[in-house]
Amino acid sequence: MNAMLMTVDYVTAQARRIGRRFVRNDAGALTLEWLLIGVALVAAAGIATVYFTNVVKSTETGLK
């Protein structure tokens, strides 16, 4: 019984160690954060471009 308990304890400890390696990997999280920030900036620039183009066109037609 003691050997079985030690085996289960060892396997559990190894599973925790492997799990911590994946959960506490900050490098991947930081890369994902920067990727999302970049996507948000590109989307905001695209929306601003469309908005300002429409404002300039409407002002241009109003001046004619």
Side-chain angles (χ1 to χ4, degrees):
M1 179 78 169
N2 196 11
M4 181 68 109
L5 184 60
M6 287 177 59
T7 304
V8 169
D9 188 40
Y10 175 76
V11 171
T12 305
Q14 292 299 318
R16 283 184 188 171
R17 185 177 59 82
I18 292 170
R20 284 186 190 131
R21 187 182 316 159
F22 290 112
V23 172
R24 293 186 181 177
N25 187 3
D26 291 337
L30 291 175
T31 303
L32 181 61
E33 287 174 4
W34 282 110
L35 181 66
L36 292 176
I37 290 169
V39 168
L41 287 174
V42 169
I47 292 169
T49 302
V50 170
Y51 174 74
F52 289 123
T53 302
N54 289 337
V55 167
V56 168
K57 283 183 182 179
S58 67
T59 305
E60 196 176 297
T61 56
L63 293 175
K64 288 183 180 180

